[in-house]
mmCIF file with all atom_site columns, all heavy atoms in Angstrom:
data_model
loop_
_atom_site.group_PDB
_atom_site.id
_atom_site.type_symbol
_atom_site.label_atom_id
_atom_site.label_alt_id
_atom_site.label_comp_id
_atom_site.label_asym_id
_atom_site.label_entity_id
_atom_site.label_seq_id
_atom_site.pdbx_PDB_ins_code
_atom_site.Cartn_x
_atom_site.Cartn_y
_atom_site.Cartn_z
_atom_site.occupancy
_atom_site.B_iso_or_equiv
_atom_site.pdbx_formal_charge
_atom_site.auth_seq_id
_atom_site.auth_comp_id
_atom_site.auth_asym_id
_atom_site.auth_atom_id
_atom_site.pdbx_PDB_model_num
ATOM 1   N N   . LEU A 1 211 ? 21.587 -5.848  -18.642 1.00 0.00 ? 237 LEU A N   1
ATOM 2   C CA  . LEU A 1 211 ? 20.856 -6.962  -19.239 1.00 0.00 ? 237 LEU A CA  1
ATOM 3   C C   . LEU A 1 211 ? 19.570 -6.465  -19.911 1.00 0.00 ? 237 LEU A C   1
ATOM 4   O O   . LEU A 1 211 ? 19.299 -6.793  -21.076 1.00 0.00 ? 237 LEU A O   1
ATOM 5   C CB  . LEU A 1 211 ? 20.519 -7.987  -18.153 1.00 0.00 ? 237 LEU A CB  1
ATOM 6   C CG  . LEU A 1 211 ? 19.697 -9.180  -18.610 1.00 0.00 ? 237 LEU A CG  1
ATOM 7   C CD1 . LEU A 1 211 ? 20.583 -10.134 -19.412 1.00 0.00 ? 237 LEU A CD1 1
ATOM 8   C CD2 . LEU A 1 211 ? 19.086 -9.914  -17.418 1.00 0.00 ? 237 LEU A CD2 1
ATOM 9   N N   . VAL A 1 212 ? 18.800 -5.647  -19.207 1.00 0.00 ? 238 VAL A N   1
ATOM 10  C CA  . VAL A 1 212 ? 17.513 -5.236  -19.762 1.00 0.00 ? 238 VAL A CA  1
ATOM 11  C C   . VAL A 1 212 ? 17.730 -4.223  -20.891 1.00 0.00 ? 238 VAL A C   1
ATOM 12  O O   . VAL A 1 212 ? 16.957 -4.179  -21.857 1.00 0.00 ? 238 VAL A O   1
ATOM 13  C CB  . VAL A 1 212 ? 16.577 -4.704  -18.655 1.00 0.00 ? 238 VAL A CB  1
ATOM 14  C CG1 . VAL A 1 212 ? 17.033 -3.373  -18.109 1.00 0.00 ? 238 VAL A CG1 1
ATOM 15  C CG2 . VAL A 1 212 ? 15.148 -4.591  -19.158 1.00 0.00 ? 238 VAL A CG2 1
ATOM 16  N N   . PHE A 1 213 ? 18.801 -3.453  -20.816 1.00 0.00 ? 239 PHE A N   1
ATOM 17  C CA  . PHE A 1 213 ? 19.139 -2.536  -21.908 1.00 0.00 ? 239 PHE A CA  1
ATOM 18  C C   . PHE A 1 213 ? 19.423 -3.339  -23.175 1.00 0.00 ? 239 PHE A C   1
ATOM 19  O O   . PHE A 1 213 ? 18.918 -3.012  -24.261 1.00 0.00 ? 239 PHE A O   1
ATOM 20  C CB  . PHE A 1 213 ? 20.366 -1.702  -21.504 1.00 0.00 ? 239 PHE A CB  1
ATOM 21  C CG  . PHE A 1 213 ? 20.693 -0.573  -22.440 1.00 0.00 ? 239 PHE A CG  1
ATOM 22  C CD1 . PHE A 1 213 ? 19.862 0.530   -22.561 1.00 0.00 ? 239 PHE A CD1 1
ATOM 23  C CD2 . PHE A 1 213 ? 21.871 -0.593  -23.180 1.00 0.00 ? 239 PHE A CD2 1
ATOM 24  C CE1 . PHE A 1 213 ? 20.173 1.578   -23.415 1.00 0.00 ? 239 PHE A CE1 1
ATOM 25  C CE2 . PHE A 1 213 ? 22.193 0.438   -24.038 1.00 0.00 ? 239 PHE A CE2 1
ATOM 26  C CZ  . PHE A 1 213 ? 21.343 1.535   -24.155 1.00 0.00 ? 239 PHE A CZ  1
ATOM 27  N N   . VAL A 1 214 ? 20.210 -4.400  -23.038 1.00 0.00 ? 240 VAL A N   1
ATOM 28  C CA  . VAL A 1 214 ? 20.542 -5.241  -24.193 1.00 0.00 ? 240 VAL A CA  1
ATOM 29  C C   . VAL A 1 214 ? 19.284 -5.923  -24.733 1.00 0.00 ? 240 VAL A C   1
ATOM 30  O O   . VAL A 1 214 ? 19.043 -5.947  -25.943 1.00 0.00 ? 240 VAL A O   1
ATOM 31  C CB  . VAL A 1 214 ? 21.624 -6.281  -23.825 1.00 0.00 ? 240 VAL A CB  1
ATOM 32  C CG1 . VAL A 1 214 ? 21.801 -7.294  -24.943 1.00 0.00 ? 240 VAL A CG1 1
ATOM 33  C CG2 . VAL A 1 214 ? 22.944 -5.587  -23.509 1.00 0.00 ? 240 VAL A CG2 1
ATOM 34  N N   . ILE A 1 215 ? 18.443 -6.436  -23.827 1.00 0.00 ? 241 ILE A N   1
ATOM 35  C CA  . ILE A 1 215 ? 17.217 -7.101  -24.282 1.00 0.00 ? 241 ILE A CA  1
ATOM 36  C C   . ILE A 1 215 ? 16.338 -6.112  -25.058 1.00 0.00 ? 241 ILE A C   1
ATOM 37  O O   . ILE A 1 215 ? 15.831 -6.426  -26.140 1.00 0.00 ? 241 ILE A O   1
ATOM 38  C CB  . ILE A 1 215 ? 16.430 -7.680  -23.079 1.00 0.00 ? 241 ILE A CB  1
ATOM 39  C CG1 . ILE A 1 215 ? 17.196 -8.868  -22.487 1.00 0.00 ? 241 ILE A CG1 1
ATOM 40  C CG2 . ILE A 1 215 ? 15.029 -8.120  -23.514 1.00 0.00 ? 241 ILE A CG2 1
ATOM 41  C CD1 . ILE A 1 215 ? 16.574 -9.428  -21.223 1.00 0.00 ? 241 ILE A CD1 1
ATOM 42  N N   . SER A 1 216 ? 16.186 -4.910  -24.538 1.00 0.00 ? 242 SER A N   1
ATOM 43  C CA  . SER A 1 216 ? 15.327 -3.937  -25.221 1.00 0.00 ? 242 SER A CA  1
ATOM 44  C C   . SER A 1 216 ? 15.926 -3.537  -26.565 1.00 0.00 ? 242 SER A C   1
ATOM 45  O O   . SER A 1 216 ? 15.201 -3.308  -27.533 1.00 0.00 ? 242 SER A O   1
ATOM 46  C CB  . SER A 1 216 ? 15.090 -2.704  -24.345 1.00 0.00 ? 242 SER A CB  1
ATOM 47  O OG  . SER A 1 216 ? 16.291 -1.993  -24.162 1.00 0.00 ? 242 SER A OG  1
ATOM 48  N N   . ALA A 1 217 ? 17.267 -3.480  -26.632 1.00 0.00 ? 243 ALA A N   1
ATOM 49  C CA  . ALA A 1 217 ? 17.917 -3.169  -27.910 1.00 0.00 ? 243 ALA A CA  1
ATOM 50  C C   . ALA A 1 217 ? 17.681 -4.289  -28.915 1.00 0.00 ? 243 ALA A C   1
ATOM 51  O O   . ALA A 1 217 ? 17.477 -4.036  -30.108 1.00 0.00 ? 243 ALA A O   1
ATOM 52  C CB  . ALA A 1 217 ? 19.421 -2.953  -27.694 1.00 0.00 ? 243 ALA A CB  1
ATOM 53  N N   . VAL A 1 218 ? 17.696 -5.529  -28.433 1.00 0.00 ? 244 VAL A N   1
ATOM 54  C CA  . VAL A 1 218 ? 17.474 -6.675  -29.326 1.00 0.00 ? 244 VAL A CA  1
ATOM 55  C C   . VAL A 1 218 ? 16.052 -6.643  -29.892 1.00 0.00 ? 244 VAL A C   1
ATOM 56  O O   . VAL A 1 218 ? 15.844 -6.839  -31.094 1.00 0.00 ? 244 VAL A O   1
ATOM 57  C CB  . VAL A 1 218 ? 17.756 -8.004  -28.577 1.00 0.00 ? 244 VAL A CB  1
ATOM 58  C CG1 . VAL A 1 218 ? 17.139 -9.187  -29.303 1.00 0.00 ? 244 VAL A CG1 1
ATOM 59  C CG2 . VAL A 1 218 ? 19.257 -8.197  -28.399 1.00 0.00 ? 244 VAL A CG2 1
ATOM 60  N N   . PHE A 1 219 ? 15.061 -6.356  -29.030 1.00 0.00 ? 245 PHE A N   1
ATOM 61  C CA  . PHE A 1 219 ? 13.677 -6.251  -29.519 1.00 0.00 ? 245 PHE A CA  1
ATOM 62  C C   . PHE A 1 219 ? 13.599 -5.181  -30.616 1.00 0.00 ? 245 PHE A C   1
ATOM 63  O O   . PHE A 1 219 ? 12.991 -5.389  -31.662 1.00 0.00 ? 245 PHE A O   1
ATOM 64  C CB  . PHE A 1 219 ? 12.729 -5.873  -28.363 1.00 0.00 ? 245 PHE A CB  1
ATOM 65  C CG  . PHE A 1 219 ? 12.244 -7.045  -27.551 1.00 0.00 ? 245 PHE A CG  1
ATOM 66  C CD1 . PHE A 1 219 ? 13.133 -7.988  -27.044 1.00 0.00 ? 245 PHE A CD1 1
ATOM 67  C CD2 . PHE A 1 219 ? 10.897 -7.204  -27.276 1.00 0.00 ? 245 PHE A CD2 1
ATOM 68  C CE1 . PHE A 1 219 ? 12.684 -9.057  -26.291 1.00 0.00 ? 245 PHE A CE1 1
ATOM 69  C CE2 . PHE A 1 219 ? 10.436 -8.273  -26.513 1.00 0.00 ? 245 PHE A CE2 1
ATOM 70  C CZ  . PHE A 1 219 ? 11.328 -9.198  -26.019 1.00 0.00 ? 245 PHE A CZ  1
ATOM 71  N N   . ALA A 1 220 ? 14.222 -4.032  -30.363 1.00 0.00 ? 246 ALA A N   1
ATOM 72  C CA  . ALA A 1 220 ? 14.170 -2.935  -31.336 1.00 0.00 ? 246 ALA A CA  1
ATOM 73  C C   . ALA A 1 220 ? 14.867 -3.317  -32.635 1.00 0.00 ? 246 ALA A C   1
ATOM 74  O O   . ALA A 1 220 ? 14.384 -3.038  -33.725 1.00 0.00 ? 246 ALA A O   1
ATOM 75  C CB  . ALA A 1 220 ? 14.803 -1.679  -30.738 1.00 0.00 ? 246 ALA A CB  1
ATOM 76  N N   . SER A 1 221 ? 16.009 -3.983  -32.491 1.00 0.00 ? 247 SER A N   1
ATOM 77  C CA  . SER A 1 221 ? 16.785 -4.357  -33.671 1.00 0.00 ? 247 SER A CA  1
ATOM 78  C C   . SER A 1 221 ? 16.030 -5.350  -34.552 1.00 0.00 ? 247 SER A C   1
ATOM 79  O O   . SER A 1 221 ? 16.005 -5.214  -35.779 1.00 0.00 ? 247 SER A O   1
ATOM 80  C CB  . SER A 1 221 ? 18.134 -4.937  -33.226 1.00 0.00 ? 247 SER A CB  1
ATOM 81  O OG  . SER A 1 221 ? 18.841 -5.440  -34.322 1.00 0.00 ? 247 SER A OG  1
ATOM 82  N N   . VAL A 1 222 ? 15.429 -6.355  -33.925 1.00 0.00 ? 248 VAL A N   1
ATOM 83  C CA  . VAL A 1 222 ? 14.684 -7.352  -34.690 1.00 0.00 ? 248 VAL A CA  1
ATOM 84  C C   . VAL A 1 222 ? 13.520 -6.674  -35.421 1.00 0.00 ? 248 VAL A C   1
ATOM 85  O O   . VAL A 1 222 ? 13.293 -6.903  -36.619 1.00 0.00 ? 248 VAL A O   1
ATOM 86  C CB  . VAL A 1 222 ? 14.167 -8.484  -33.776 1.00 0.00 ? 248 VAL A CB  1
ATOM 87  C CG1 . VAL A 1 222 ? 13.167 -9.365  -34.515 1.00 0.00 ? 248 VAL A CG1 1
ATOM 88  C CG2 . VAL A 1 222 ? 15.339 -9.314  -33.268 1.00 0.00 ? 248 VAL A CG2 1
ATOM 89  N N   . ALA A 1 223 ? 12.794 -5.803  -34.698 1.00 0.00 ? 249 ALA A N   1
ATOM 90  C CA  . ALA A 1 223 ? 11.690 -5.087  -35.341 1.00 0.00 ? 249 ALA A CA  1
ATOM 91  C C   . ALA A 1 223 ? 12.210 -4.235  -36.503 1.00 0.00 ? 249 ALA A C   1
ATOM 92  O O   . ALA A 1 223 ? 11.572 -4.150  -37.558 1.00 0.00 ? 249 ALA A O   1
ATOM 93  C CB  . ALA A 1 223 ? 10.962 -4.210  -34.317 1.00 0.00 ? 249 ALA A CB  1
ATOM 94  N N   . GLY A 1 224 ? 13.384 -3.621  -36.318 1.00 0.00 ? 250 GLY A N   1
ATOM 95  C CA  . GLY A 1 224 ? 13.981 -2.817  -37.385 1.00 0.00 ? 250 GLY A CA  1
ATOM 96  C C   . GLY A 1 224 ? 14.302 -3.654  -38.607 1.00 0.00 ? 250 GLY A C   1
ATOM 97  O O   . GLY A 1 224 ? 13.994 -3.269  -39.746 1.00 0.00 ? 250 GLY A O   1
ATOM 98  N N   . SER A 1 225 ? 14.920 -4.820  -38.395 1.00 0.00 ? 251 SER A N   1
ATOM 99  C CA  . SER A 1 225 ? 15.235 -5.718  -39.521 1.00 0.00 ? 251 SER A CA  1
ATOM 100 C C   . SER A 1 225 ? 13.974 -6.087  -40.286 1.00 0.00 ? 251 SER A C   1
ATOM 101 O O   . SER A 1 225 ? 13.926 -6.029  -41.519 1.00 0.00 ? 251 SER A O   1
ATOM 102 C CB  . SER A 1 225 ? 15.901 -7.005  -38.999 1.00 0.00 ? 251 SER A CB  1
ATOM 103 O OG  . SER A 1 225 ? 17.164 -6.732  -38.464 1.00 0.00 ? 251 SER A OG  1
ATOM 104 N N   . LEU A 1 226 ? 12.933 -6.462  -39.527 1.00 0.00 ? 252 LEU A N   1
ATOM 105 C CA  . LEU A 1 226 ? 11.684 -6.872  -40.178 1.00 0.00 ? 252 LEU A CA  1
ATOM 106 C C   . LEU A 1 226 ? 11.065 -5.701  -40.941 1.00 0.00 ? 252 LEU A C   1
ATOM 107 O O   . LEU A 1 226 ? 10.594 -5.871  -42.072 1.00 0.00 ? 252 LEU A O   1
ATOM 108 C CB  . LEU A 1 226 ? 10.699 -7.393  -39.129 1.00 0.00 ? 252 LEU A CB  1
ATOM 109 C CG  . LEU A 1 226 ? 11.112 -8.685  -38.418 1.00 0.00 ? 252 LEU A CG  1
ATOM 110 C CD1 . LEU A 1 226 ? 10.188 -8.965  -37.242 1.00 0.00 ? 252 LEU A CD1 1
ATOM 111 C CD2 . LEU A 1 226 ? 11.095 -9.864  -39.402 1.00 0.00 ? 252 LEU A CD2 1
ATOM 112 N N   . ALA A 1 227 ? 11.093 -4.518  -40.314 1.00 0.00 ? 253 ALA A N   1
ATOM 113 C CA  . ALA A 1 227 ? 10.504 -3.344  -40.959 1.00 0.00 ? 253 ALA A CA  1
ATOM 114 C C   . ALA A 1 227 ? 11.206 -3.055  -42.279 1.00 0.00 ? 253 ALA A C   1
ATOM 115 O O   . ALA A 1 227 ? 10.561 -2.692  -43.274 1.00 0.00 ? 253 ALA A O   1
ATOM 116 C CB  . ALA A 1 227 ? 10.597 -2.132  -40.029 1.00 0.00 ? 253 ALA A CB  1
ATOM 117 N N   . ALA A 1 228 ? 12.538 -3.225  -42.296 1.00 0.00 ? 254 ALA A N   1
ATOM 118 C CA  . ALA A 1 228 ? 13.297 -2.963  -43.519 1.00 0.00 ? 254 ALA A CA  1
ATOM 119 C C   . ALA A 1 228 ? 12.858 -3.898  -44.636 1.00 0.00 ? 254 ALA A C   1
ATOM 120 O O   . ALA A 1 228 ? 12.577 -3.463  -45.762 1.00 0.00 ? 254 ALA A O   1
ATOM 121 C CB  . ALA A 1 228 ? 14.786 -3.115  -43.245 1.00 0.00 ? 254 ALA A CB  1
ATOM 122 N N   . HIS A 1 229 ? 12.782 -5.196  -44.320 1.00 0.00 ? 255 HIS A N   1
ATOM 123 C CA  . HIS A 1 229 ? 12.381 -6.161  -45.350 1.00 0.00 ? 255 HIS A CA  1
ATOM 124 C C   . HIS A 1 229 ? 10.932 -5.945  -45.767 1.00 0.00 ? 255 HIS A C   1
ATOM 125 O O   . HIS A 1 229 ? 10.584 -6.088  -46.933 1.00 0.00 ? 255 HIS A O   1
ATOM 126 C CB  . HIS A 1 229 ? 12.562 -7.594  -44.836 1.00 0.00 ? 255 HIS A CB  1
ATOM 127 C CG  . HIS A 1 229 ? 13.991 -8.020  -44.790 1.00 0.00 ? 255 HIS A CG  1
ATOM 128 N ND1 . HIS A 1 229 ? 14.753 -8.217  -45.919 1.00 0.00 ? 255 HIS A ND1 1
ATOM 129 C CD2 . HIS A 1 229 ? 14.805 -8.282  -43.742 1.00 0.00 ? 255 HIS A CD2 1
ATOM 130 C CE1 . HIS A 1 229 ? 15.983 -8.586  -45.569 1.00 0.00 ? 255 HIS A CE1 1
ATOM 131 N NE2 . HIS A 1 229 ? 16.042 -8.629  -44.252 1.00 0.00 ? 255 HIS A NE2 1
#
Side-chain angles (χ1 to χ4, degrees):
Chain A
L237 177 75
V238 70
F239 189 68
V240 171
I241 290 175
S242 66
V244 162
F245 275 50
S247 173
V248 169
S251 293
L252 294 170
H255 286 292

